[in-house]
Amino acid sequence: MSARRLTQGGLIDRSKTIDFSWDGKSLQGFQGDTLASALIANNEKVLARSFKYHRPRGIMSAGVEESGALVTIGSGNRRDPNVKAPMQELYNGLQAFGQNAWPNVRMDAGSVNSLFGRFFSAGFYYKTFMGLPPFESGKGTGWWMKYEKIIRKAAGLGTASREPDPDVYDHAHAFCDVLVVGGGAAGMAAAIAAADAGLDVILVEQEGMLGGDLLSQSAEDAASQREQLNSALESSSVRIMTRTTAFGLYDYGTAGLLERVTDHLPENALPHTPRQIFWTVRASQTILATGSMERQIAFGDNDRPGIMTASAGRSYLNRYAVRAGEEVVVATNNDSAYQVALDMDRAGANVTLLDARNNVSGIVAESLSDSGIEVRMQSAPLKAKGLNGIKALTLATGSPGSWQSGETIPTDLLLVSGGWSPVVNLASHRGVRPVWNEGSACFLAPETAEPIQMAGAAAGIWDTAGCIDSGTRAAQSAINAIKDSTAGSGNTPQPAPEPGDGDSWENPILPVYEVTVPGKKLKCIIDPQHDVTSDDVRLAHREGFVSVEHLKRYTTLGMATDGGKVGNIVGLALMAEALGKEIPEVGTTTFRPPYTPVSIGALRGRNVDEHFRCLRRTAMHNWNLKHGATMTMAGLWHRPWYFAREGETIKEAYEREAATVRETVGLCDVTSLGKIAIQGPDATELLNRVYSNAFAKLPVGKARYGIMLRDDGFVMDDGTTWRLSETDYFMTTTTAHAASVMVFLEELLQTRWPELKVHLTSVSEQWAGCAVAGPKSRETLAACMEDPSQISDENFPFMGVRDITFKGGIPARIARISFSGERAFEAYVPSDYSESLMDMLWEAAQTFDGCLYGLESLGALRIEKGHVTGAELDGRVSIDDAGLGKMASPNKSYIGSALRQRPELLREDRPRLVGIFPKNREETFNAGSILCQSDAVEGMGDGWITAVTYSPALGHWIGLGFLKGGHESYEGKTLVSADPVRKGNIEVEVVSPHMYDASGERMYG
Amino acid sequence: MIRINCPFCGERDHSEFTYGGDATIVYPALDASIEEWHDAVYLRENIRGMQSETWHHVSGCRMWLVIERDTMTHEIQSVRPAHDAIAKALETEQ
Ligand SMILES: [Zn+2]
């Protein structure tokens, strides 16, 4: 037993025992523990297996940078992989599991991978197999695929649940003057100062409580400092968000936050609360008080369980009252670890302090005088011994560049401090390039035009008093910037808080990134999550990689879930050494969002299942459902698909509906068509410019079918436009293009033709519409009117438009237009009247044995007639391709009239709209098939099929499609509808797209 | 998230807007030649720096705006209605 829980001290509540399980074993911790501190207290050392080599791993840190103890939390549909044990607060019933190991992390069959380390070195994916037989370029793909599967299985992290996520996530938005990221001393001070100046402040902290490093300090005044800051915050207006990570900074002071609302609580503790909330915050100024992270040093087997950062050892000791070892070695190159050694000594451990420097003086040196600590200067760790937990450490003596192998001393806990890396990640998100600071051997964010202030350890300030002062000054800079911008004095540069220059340490840091001795083969891990070694970096260099960005990708250094927090600086330093350059010459690292992983659930929020996208219902929606509609999606709209009678299949239903429309009458909800009121003295001129066919002479009381092109000459949309008065038009668009047509008309009027006096109003929601189609359509309408003569053939010919009143005083706007090819009308009423209208029309239609019909039979009817819809007008089709070229006016210019005349668009052999019959009329075929010559079923074919239906009128399957040159040249020939992965090859014949009633007698009659 | 100060609605997230295109394009007359139309529709500068572009406040006031934006930094220098008469009326009002 090497680790032990202290009987007093720390921020845990010993009166509240917490039961949890680790790999099925029941263990106990205390309220206030993290999973990591509880596992250490229970002497669980091997907690994970590494990514490539399956090396045993334990806890390496006490924070978000953790790259050793990645564990899986929960089971079943709540299984959450790759959770960092130090960031998981302990709760009753928590289940944690080791991952990436079989049968378990302590006995792992996959660890044989370590023996084959050569195969997994830098770039192993790219070259290990590629250059060798049978993997030469282009030859060994099949072999590669086989090996790749095995390698993938051997290397990896935890696995996510394959079941649907049962939890709820929310999206939320907030605004503030100042966003303070980081709730340590600097952040707390900054928030207090900004709020004191009357600003609206949000303070976010990724942990469950504020305090930052103060929570882990042994100093007697740390607790009182924390209390002072806390009470000042409590009496301020600052909005405090704990368990909330600012994972990304974006343009204009926008920050993305992830609030973990219930992850620290037992399952269903707050059943009506979202698990996590994804916040978008817009702040005028952002203060980054994000602290700094202690660096590792690369030495032999530096990833063994029992090796962690010095600050982590201190945090477990002081905050969680867990002494992680008994024979403690503290290895450092800077002053910060001296306090850790002292704390360990006071807690009863036998402590040896290794300092790579020649000598230290001042308070730091004197502080150890009363202790039992053995100090060894000019010493560093060279190689750890002990596979499943460090047992001994071989020392190196000398200095960087000329280390010699020294004696081996026993130890069960090695605490390493390789220096500190300020967390500049969020500034880096904004393109702020960190600058190397020689004195502190770290990257710092420079002054920037971005509305960002750095504070505290994130700005390279290493002592608590300095951090508090720095936070206050950062707040002052933010206050000044906000005052200046509201006073309108522009961008006065603010004096930034002075970056740390190492002065706050008594003795300067001695940069040490790797400890090696000549001739000794060591495995020095620099990116533990991806098992990248220092040899990998040198190998990449030998193979010609000189750019840091290439190095990262070739070795995968810094590309694991920690985003390079642990390994980047050491990797950069080793690359600089290999190149014989200084770190700043080699480059810097760019951090990208997210700072820590964001769950997919939080990204999706409530936009899931039926809420994935918004849903539009017509005013007749409930009426349709009440009358037996099966619905389908048409864009965002829910529309009736078919109205099956008792026992009918969809095919039986739509065939009956289409036949009924041709025989008597059918009613169809067409509310989803786009409707635009176009009003004003220049309305006619606008329409004449945007439609390709003539509109200038459309009389009042008439509708016209129109085709709109885009600027580039391709078809944009079609529809009918009704002239209600000299200056008032009612335009209908397709359901699919309603929004884009409206936007385009607005653009034309506001940007290109501001001289036109026209007003546009979208009235799609205001008017509900019903198509009344079939030989008995007029009778059906007439039965619903007080004055049926208004719609007699003489008074209301084809394409007539008029305002009428239905029985009961229902105002309506009707036109005699047809999509089905039958005598037909469209009737629009103000949406609130839609159910009354439908009740009345349906009662009348039933007296003629009419039907309700949906999209499927609507499709059958229009395919029979060769009427195009979105399936044909896909944005790549010209008006001639669609067979409508004759409609385009040769006597005027209109949008697209110039570019539709481009030679390529006028070629005779362009694919043109055709009708398709199966050669064997009993056969069917599929939309999406390729049309080929029978002797050349290959490549792109000569055309394609856009729509297929069974035609009740013709008694067999029919289709529409596009075919080179149109149908005339294929008269009497047999083609093949090629559909290799579904239906196979079907012989088809090509006909005119107007497959039914080509002369239109039924419609005009 | 770019924040756009709509002259009619105030400062809003760019997700309320849709991007139009190059605001400096002068579209030719409808009866202009294929070549003129080709140039207007297809030829665009790939500007590094301040660019004049149209945006549509599609989930707001539905007005088309001309915005000067730096393509490197997203800094917005000016926002005005694309419709000249409306822009002028707005100026006199202020
Ligand atoms: Zn607006």
Side-chain angles (χ1 to χ4, degrees):
Chain A
M1 286 300 212
S2 58
R4 81 183 180 90
R5 180 82 74 172
L6 307 183
T7 50
Q8 55 187 13
L11 299 175
I12 50 164
D13 183 347
R14 289 176 179 77
S15 68
K16 289 188 181 135
T17 310
I18 306 279
D19 296 308
F20 71 104
S21 74
W22 165 246
D23 264 349
K25 194 197 304 184
S26 295
L27 298 174
Q28 286 188 330
F30 294 118
Q31 184 72 43
D33 261 328
T34 63
L35 176 60
S37 63
L39 285 170
I40 297 174
N42 281 283
N43 264 298
E44 291 291 338
K45 282 208 155 175
V46 179
L47 303 177
R49 288 278 165 170
S50 72
F51 181 66
K52 282 197 300 197
Y53 304 132
H54 289 243
R55 290 166 70 90
R57 292 282 165 77
I59 285 154
M60 295 179 159
S61 75
V64 294
E65 70 271 38
E66 178 62 28
S67 288
L70 303 180
V71 301
T72 296
I73 302 289
S75 56
N77 55 8
R78 285 199 162 84
R79 190 168 81 214
D80 205 0
N82 309 329
V83 174
K84 296 160 175 70
M87 294 307 289
Q88 177 62 55
E89 294 176 53
L90 206 63
Y91 56 78
N92 261 314
L94 180 145
Q95 298 175 300
F97 303 91
Q99 59 187 37
N100 194 32
W102 186 88
N104 61 52
V105 291
R106 290 160 299 281
M107 299 192 329
D108 175 25
S111 62
V112 293
N113 276 7
S114 287
L115 305 176
F116 300 105
R118 186 170 73 82
F119 291 114
F120 291 87
S121 60
F124 75 99
Y125 272 129
Y126 305 111
K127 65 170 193 252
T128 303
F129 299 105
M130 289 303 191
L132 302 165
F135 301 105
E136 296 104 320
S137 170
K139 284 186 188 167
T141 315
W143 283 98
W144 168 247
M145 303 289 274
K146 280 185 194 137
Y147 275 85
E148 206 247 0
K149 265 184 202 151
I150 297 165
I151 294 167
R152 285 268 176 212
K153 210 171 195 170
L157 296 170
T159 50
S161 169
R162 290 187 174 271
E163 293 170 56
D165 188 339
D167 288 315
V168 171
Y169 302 79
D170 260 334
H171 286 175
H173 296 264
F175 295 80
C176 61
D177 296 319
V178 180
L179 172 66
V180 181
V181 181
M188 293 167 93
I192 293 162
D196 280 351
L199 296 181
D200 182 8
V201 182
I202 294 177
L203 171 62
V204 299
E205 166 54 47
Q206 64 193 357
E207 292 200 34
M209 63 173 99
L210 299 177
D213 194 64
L214 289 175
L215 298 167
S216 296
Q217 288 182 14
S218 58
E220 272 165 28
D221 54 353
S224 63
Q225 271 172 324
R226 195 161 58 87
E227 270 157 38
Q228 271 173 26
L229 290 165
N230 264 326
S231 71
L233 275 172
E234 266 162 39
S235 58
S236 77
S237 62
V238 175
R239 286 181 275 168
I240 299 167
M241 299 174 72
T242 53
R243 300 187 179 92
T244 303
T245 302
F247 62 80
L249 283 193
Y250 305 88
D251 292 298
Y252 286 72
T254 310
L257 313 182
L258 183 71
E259 181 181 4
R260 291 170 296 276
V261 185
T262 65
D263 286 356
H264 64 296
L265 298 173
E267 217 169 276
N268 293 323
L270 299 169
H272 304 296
T273 306
R275 179 187 169 206
Q276 297 177 346
I277 302 176
F278 181 108
W279 288 86
T280 306
V281 176
R282 299 141 191 94
S284 303
Q285 288 280 318
T286 300
I287 295 173
L288 298 181
T290 41
S292 65
M293 284 178 185
E294 199 165 28
R295 285 199 295 265
Q296 266 288 356
I297 295 173
F299 58 89
D301 296 322
N302 58 333
D303 60 331
R304 293 298 183 213
I307 305 177
M308 62 178 78
T309 58
S311 57
R314 184 189 55 150
S315 189
Y316 291 118
L317 182 69
N318 294 331
R319 178 170 175 184
Y320 302 102
V322 181
R323 206 191 63 204
E326 204 161 353
E327 296 291 331
V328 181
V329 175
V330 179
T332 187
N333 63 349
N334 67 83
D335 286 355
S336 70
Y338 276 65
Q339 186 63 47
V340 183
L342 266 178
D343 290 352
M344 281 290 172
D345 178 64
R346 281 185 200 140
N350 298 320
V351 182
T352 305
L353 176 67
L354 313 179
D355 193 326
R357 297 173 291 184
N358 287 335
N359 55 68
V360 292
S361 58
I363 302 167
V364 165
E366 286 156 25
S367 68
L368 302 185
S369 56
D370 291 342
S371 74
I373 298 169
E374 183 191 352
V375 183
R376 291 168 178 246
M377 300 308 290
Q378 291 180 290
S379 299
L382 179 63
K383 187 177 190 311
K385 306 218 157 145
L387 179 64
N388 290 324
I390 185 167
K391 292 197 171 76
L393 179 71
T394 303
L395 307 186
T397 57
S399 58
S402 58
W403 294 111
Q404 289 161 356
S405 189
E407 65 180 296
T408 298
I409 58 172
T411 175
D412 60 357
L413 177 64
L414 173 56
L415 303 176
V416 182
S417 181
W420 292 82
S421 295
V423 177
V424 296
N425 303 47
L426 290 167
S428 184
H429 294 177
R430 297 301 309 128
V432 177
R433 287 177 68 83
V435 174
W436 186 252
N437 180 288
E438 201 69 50
S440 289
C442 66
F443 280 109
L444 291 174
E447 261 188 77
T448 168
E450 290 284 328
I452 294 175
Q453 320 291 337
M454 305 298 296
I461 290 160
W462 310 120
D463 64 302
T464 304
C467 284
I468 291 175
D469 180 50
S470 152
T472 310
R473 280 186 294 155
Q476 195 53 53
S477 298
I479 295 161
N480 292 345
I482 288 169
K483 273 191 193 143
D484 282 357
S485 69
T486 49
S489 63
N491 296 331
T492 316
Q494 295 305 313
E498 280 169 30
D501 50 11
D503 282 354
S504 52
W505 282 332
E506 278 185 295
N507 304 280
I509 183 172
L510 174 70
V512 177
Y513 301 104
E514 187 189 25
V515 181
T516 52
V517 296
K520 203 168 172 96
K521 191 124 185 66
L522 299 170
K523 197 153 204 124
C524 311
I525 304 282
I526 55 175
D527 181 336
Q529 276 203 45
H530 268 176
D531 275 347
V532 179
T533 66
S534 51
D535 280 343
D536 286 334
V537 175
R538 283 185 281 271
L539 180 65
H541 167 253
R542 281 202 302 281
E543 295 182 356
F545 290 88
V546 294
S547 147
V548 170
E549 293 303 318
H550 293 160
L551 170 78
K552 277 168 69 177
R553 281 153 186 81
Y554 192 57
T555 60
T556 72
L557 170 69
M559 294 171 78
T561 71
D562 74 320
K565 293 182 188 75
V566 173
N568 269 8
I569 302 292
V570 176
L572 193 61
L574 296 185
M575 192 64 171
E577 190 187 290
L579 291 165
K581 290 181 175 175
E582 296 297 316
I583 289 176
E585 294 176 88
V586 178
T588 173
T589 56
T590 308
F591 294 103
R592 293 189 176 83
Y595 175 64
T596 49
V598 177
S599 65
I600 300 287
L603 295 176
R604 73 169 198 193
R606 303 256 178 175
N607 306 316
V608 65
D609 298 330
E610 69 270 31
H611 303 296
F612 182 67
R613 51 183 190 173
C614 57
L615 164 68
R616 300 184 78 180
R617 294 189 174 105
T618 75
M620 301 169 187
H621 185 83
N622 291 340
W623 193 94
N624 289 322
L625 290 180
K626 207 166 73 188
H627 290 81
T630 300
M631 307 299 280
T632 187
M633 299 298 292
L636 301 177
W637 288 96
H638 260 197
R639 293 189 67 179
W641 189 7
Y642 56 91
F643 293 82
R645 289 183 179 163
E646 188 83 33
E648 270 185 342
T649 64
I650 171 175
K651 182 165 183 293
E652 288 160 354
Y654 88 76
E655 286 177 26
R656 171 185 50 74
E657 290 167 18
T660 306
V661 170
R662 298 246 183 267
E663 279 157 26
T664 62
V665 65
L667 305 178
C668 180
D669 179 359
V670 295
T671 303
S672 66
L673 292 179
K675 296 173 283 285
I676 304 171
I678 300 177
Q679 294 159 315
D682 294 321
T684 308
E685 177 61 22
L686 172 70
L687 292 168
N688 209 40
R689 291 185 194 182
V690 296
Y691 275 126
S692 58
N693 46 328
F695 262 80
K697 289 176 185 141
L698 179 67
V700 173
K702 279 284 196 181
R704 186 162 288 174
Y705 174 71
I707 299 177
M708 260 179 230
L709 309 187
R710 302 188 307 225
D711 282 325
D712 63 6
F714 290 94
V715 175
M716 179 161 78
D717 195 42
D718 67 347
T720 59
T721 291
W722 311 7
R723 190 163 200 179
L724 306 173
S725 80
E726 282 299 318
T727 57
D728 190 359
Y729 290 86
F730 180 72
M731 173 187 278
T732 66
T733 73
T734 60
T735 300
H737 293 143
S740 55
V741 168
M742 182 73 186
V743 166
F744 188 53
L745 296 179
E746 286 170 326
E747 180 179 9
L748 291 173
L749 286 173
Q750 292 180 41
T751 70
R752 279 194 227 176
W753 303 328
E755 73 281 5
L756 293 187
K757 294 193 174 75
V758 183
H759 192 85
L760 304 172
T761 313
S762 169
V763 293
S764 298
E765 307 279 343
Q766 282 70 21
W767 293 92
C770 178
V772 185
K776 295 291 181 192
S777 55
R778 194 182 58 215
E779 287 82 346
T780 302
L781 277 174
C784 304
M785 295 170 64
E786 301 282 3
D787 176 11
S789 71
Q790 285 182 316
I791 57 163
S792 67
D793 272 349
E794 313 80 73
N795 291 339
F796 202 54
F798 185 61
M799 284 296 179
V801 169
R802 69 189 303 161
D803 285 344
I804 61 156
T805 307
F806 284 113
K807 283 179 181 167
I810 300 175
R813 174 178 287 183
I814 65 168
R816 189 174 159 190
I817 49 182
S818 174
F819 193 51
S820 57
E822 297 300 319
R823 171 197 297 271
F825 302 82
E826 275 177 20
Y828 290 93
V829 294
S831 290
D832 286 351
Y833 290 103
S834 64
E835 295 210 355
S836 310
L837 172 75
M838 291 308 287
D839 281 341
M840 197 157 51
L841 286 173
W842 181 223
E843 197 184 325
Q846 280 171 296
T847 64
F848 301 106
D849 292 324
C851 72
L852 302 171
Y853 68 104
L855 267 188
E856 197 65 28
S857 47
L858 191 79
L861 294 164
R862 70 98 187 169
I863 294 170
E864 288 177 338
K865 289 293 293 177
H867 288 164
V868 291
T869 64
E872 288 75 35
L873 303 179
D874 63 357
R876 299 175 296 174
V877 164
S878 76
I879 191 169
D880 297 292
D881 299 343
L884 300 165
K886 288 203 185 75
M887 284 188 59
S889 169
N891 304 319
K892 66 162 190 177
S893 299
Y894 48 89
I895 291 284
S897 62
L899 291 184
R900 74 168 274 247
Q901 300 293 342
R902 282 178 288 170
E904 185 62 30
L905 295 189
L906 297 178
R907 280 170 52 159
E908 285 296 319
D909 64 347
R910 277 184 66 81
R912 299 285 157 96
L913 188 71
V914 297
I916 315 280
F917 287 177
K919 187 173 167 95
N920 172 356
R921 299 288 195 262
E922 304 297 309
E923 282 272 19
T924 178
F925 52 102
N926 277 330
S929 304
I930 306 286
L931 286 169
C932 298
Q933 306 279 355
S934 351
D935 57 352
V937 182
E938 57 189 23
M940 314 277 277
D942 288 352
W944 63 93
I945 294 171
T946 56
V948 173
T949 185
Y950 180 82
S951 165
L954 298 172
H956 58 81
W957 290 86
I958 61 171
L960 284 174
F962 287 89
L963 189 60
K964 274 185 185 170
H967 70 276
E968 285 90 350
S969 48
Y970 294 87
E971 223 63 80
K973 284 190 191 161
T974 299
L975 290 182
V976 166
S977 160
D979 189 10
V981 295
R982 292 181 297 178
K983 187 111 187 102
N985 295 347
I986 304 292
E987 289 190 322
V988 294
E989 294 172 353
V990 179
V991 298
S992 156
H994 309 293
M995 290 170 274
Y996 178 74
D997 186 29
S999 63
E1001 274 169 52
R1002 303 180 63 88
M1003 186 163 72
Y1004 299 110
Chain B
M1 187 82 81
I2 302 176
R3 304 269 293 157
I4 296 174
N5 196 6
C6 175
F8 305 100
C9 309
E11 196 179 50
R12 301 299 167 99
D13 286 354
H14 81 249
S15 55
E16 287 185 11
F17 299 77
T18 50
Y19 181 77
D22 187 340
T24 65
I25 301 293
V26 179
Y27 283 88
L30 291 176
D31 58 1
S33 67
I34 292 180
E35 288 70 27
E36 283 175 86
W37 270 99
H38 169 272
D39 291 357
V41 170
Y42 292 108
L43 299 190
R44 293 289 182 276
E45 297 293 328
N46 190 10
I47 292 170
R48 182 185 193 277
M50 208 50 84
Q51 162 169 293
S52 190
E53 56 200 20
T54 58
W55 288 74
H56 188 207
H57 200 179
V58 68
S59 300
C61 60
R62 306 284 303 188
M63 294 305 287
W64 279 87
L65 308 172
V66 173
I67 292 178
E68 284 179 291
R69 180 184 64 101
D70 191 309
T71 58
M72 294 299 292
T73 64
H74 292 319
E75 182 202 340
I76 288 177
Q77 210 162 60
S78 70
V79 183
R80 65 176 170 81
H83 194 290
D84 276 338
I86 295 175
K88 287 208 181 77
L90 212 60
E91 268 166 37
T92 15
E93 202 178 280
Q94 278 162 357

